[in-house]
Amino acid sequence: QVQLVESGGGSVQAGGSLRLACAVSGDTISRLYMGWFRQAPGKEREWVGCATSGGSTTNADSVKGRFIIFRDSRVNSLYLQMNSLKPEDTAMYSCAAAKSGVSGGCSAFPFNYNYWGQGTQVTVSS
């Protein structure tokens, strides 16, 4: 059973940076595609970006140029480096994973993920 544990959330002023981590157990990230999602109070869950089992990444337009997704296979973890944070980035951030399929891609849709972490709160003040 794959388990995901996020860490690294907190409070930061606008323009600041945070790095979120998602530690994976129960499988290796080279066999998973993974995604970052966020949900602000009263809003729908929003895709932030994802990484394929091969390590390729893609981000949502709303965070492109500010957020970077990367992996460290040595510690079996996925990361979300968030720079130039804005108040509208305030949300609960969650990582998700699924067994990689033949396509080798990743998904922007929550229903394509089988495993979810508990989330970590990010609050950006103006």
Side-chain angles (χ1 to χ4, degrees):
Q1 179 79 353
V2 174
Q3 292 186 320
L4 310 175
V5 179
E6 300 97 334
S7 61
S11 297
V12 65
Q13 289 193 323
S17 298
L18 281 174
R19 178 179 293 181
L20 306 184
C22 176
V24 181
S25 60
D27 208 335
T28 60
I29 58 174
S30 61
R31 288 206 288 257
L32 304 170
Y33 65 84
M34 300 186 67
W36 284 103
F37 293 83
R38 65 185 182 185
Q39 189 166 20
K43 295 189 176 181
E44 292 190 355
R45 183 179 286 167
E46 178 188 9
W47 174 69
V48 175
C50 62
T52 70
S53 58
S56 298
T57 62
T58 184
N59 289 348
D61 287 344
S62 59
V63 303
K64 202 163 288 184
R66 299 189 299 123
F67 290 11
I68 301 168
I69 295 174
F70 63 98
R71 310 184 316 177
D72 189 340
S73 298
R74 298 169 299 174
V75 293
N76 214 38
S77 294
L78 180 75
Y79 297 90
L80 180 65
Q81 176 67 42
M82 304 185 293
N83 302 319
S84 303
L85 282 161
K86 305 175 181 179
E88 51 263 44
D89 294 319
T90 294
M92 180 71 76
Y93 284 71
S94 299
C95 66
K99 304 285 187 177
S100 184
V102 294
S103 69
C106 60
S107 176
F109 301 102
F111 58 76
N112 283 329
Y113 292 86
N114 306 113
Y115 310 104
W116 290 82
Q118 81 288 350
T120 186
Q121 178 67 37
V122 171
T123 301
V124 184
S125 58
S126 57

